[in-house]
């Protein structure tokens, strides 16, 4: 594929990746809502939607890498889009048609969306870790082997109220 032919194809592909990233971000928001709630079915559905959205994004990313064979590492890819933008700008300068949105702008938008997805996924991971900790503490109390840390009136850690005694005190 010639460079002048690659620019519009790559632009359309990066736009498709941005749509996939927006969908992934939406599913991560839905997952966060489900994680904060108590509806197990909503959590399962949100998890399945996340897996599907991530698979779609990964599929598009693999296609982009194939499209840009040999230029798929970030630094080389960014040099490629600079070159393609420059060529498109020079080509458009001789016509009455403006160059339109650049690959650089489209790529930057995609990177920002993926940063948002990373942050949302990390936040969801923190919620999961917190819920797991709560569950382990509750199971410890129910099994009589200890539970959540408690503190005495002075703020010192106390292990007096553990196990069955903690349930009896409640």
């Amino acid at each position: 594929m010639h460079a002048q032919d690659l620019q519009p194809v790559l632009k359309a592909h990066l736009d498709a990746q941005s749509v996939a990233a927006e969908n992934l971000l939406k599913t991560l928001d839905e997952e966060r809502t489900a994680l904060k709630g108590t509806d197990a079915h909503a959590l399962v559905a949100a998890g399945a939607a996340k897996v599907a959205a991530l698979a779609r994004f990964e599929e598009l990313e693999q296609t982009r890498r194939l499209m840009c064979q040999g230029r798929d590492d970030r630094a080389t890819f960014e040099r490629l889009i600079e070159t393609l933008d420059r060529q498109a700008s020079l080509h458009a300068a001789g016509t009455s048609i403006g160059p339109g949105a650049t690959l650089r702008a489209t790529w930057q938008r995609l990177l920002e969306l993926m940063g948002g997805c990373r942050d949302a996924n990390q936040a969801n991971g923190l919620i999961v870790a917190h819920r797991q900790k709560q569950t382990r503490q509750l199971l410890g109390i129910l099994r009589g082997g200890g539970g959540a840390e408690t503190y005495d009136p002075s703020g010192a850690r106390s292990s007096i109220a553990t196990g069955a005694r903690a349930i009896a005190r409640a």
Side-chain angles (χ1 to χ4, degrees):
M1 182 177 290
H2 292 87
Q4 67 269 17
D5 298 331
L6 182 59
Q7 202 273 352
V9 172
L10 187 55
K11 170 80 171 71
H13 189 79
L14 291 176
D15 285 338
Q17 276 191 279
S18 291
V19 169
E22 288 170 346
N23 186 44
L24 179 57
L25 189 57
K26 179 181 168 223
T27 61
L28 288 165
D29 288 341
E30 291 168 357
E31 181 185 50
R32 182 174 26 261
T33 300
L35 285 167
K36 290 179 178 179
T38 58
D39 184 351
H41 295 294
L43 186 56
V44 169
K50 179 177 82 169
V51 168
L54 192 55
R56 175 64 180 145
F57 184 84
E58 183 60 31
E59 176 186 318
L60 289 168
E61 178 60 13
Q62 290 303 321
T63 302
R64 182 192 68 81
R65 288 175 184 261
L66 287 172
M67 192 183 309
C68 302
Q69 285 180 341
R71 299 170 274 200
D72 56 348
D73 69 272
R74 186 168 173 174
T76 306
F77 181 72
E78 289 188 359
R79 283 193 300 274
L80 171 66
I81 62 176
E82 286 175 20
T83 300
L84 292 173
D85 277 347
R86 191 171 33 256
Q87 289 174 351
S89 178
L90 291 173
H91 179 71
T95 68
S96 61
I97 302 170
T102 64
L103 285 173
R104 164 69 57 208
T106 305
W107 175 245
Q108 192 60 42
R109 175 161 165 39
L110 178 58
L111 291 177
E112 289 169 6
L113 284 167
M114 290 312 300
C117 289
R118 180 197 61 236
D119 294 345
N121 194 51
Q122 287 174 345
N124 289 357
L126 290 172
I127 293 169
V128 168
H130 181 72
R131 288 283 176 106
Q132 287 175 332
K133 181 180 176 185
Q134 288 176 326
T135 301
R136 280 191 298 275
Q137 289 173 340
L138 291 172
L139 286 172
I141 291 169
L142 291 173
R143 290 180 179 147
E149 288 184 333
T150 58
Y151 299 89
D152 66 19
S154 68
R157 286 186 181 165
S158 172
S159 60
I160 295 171
T162 60
R165 290 179 56 198
I167 293 173
R169 288 181 175 204

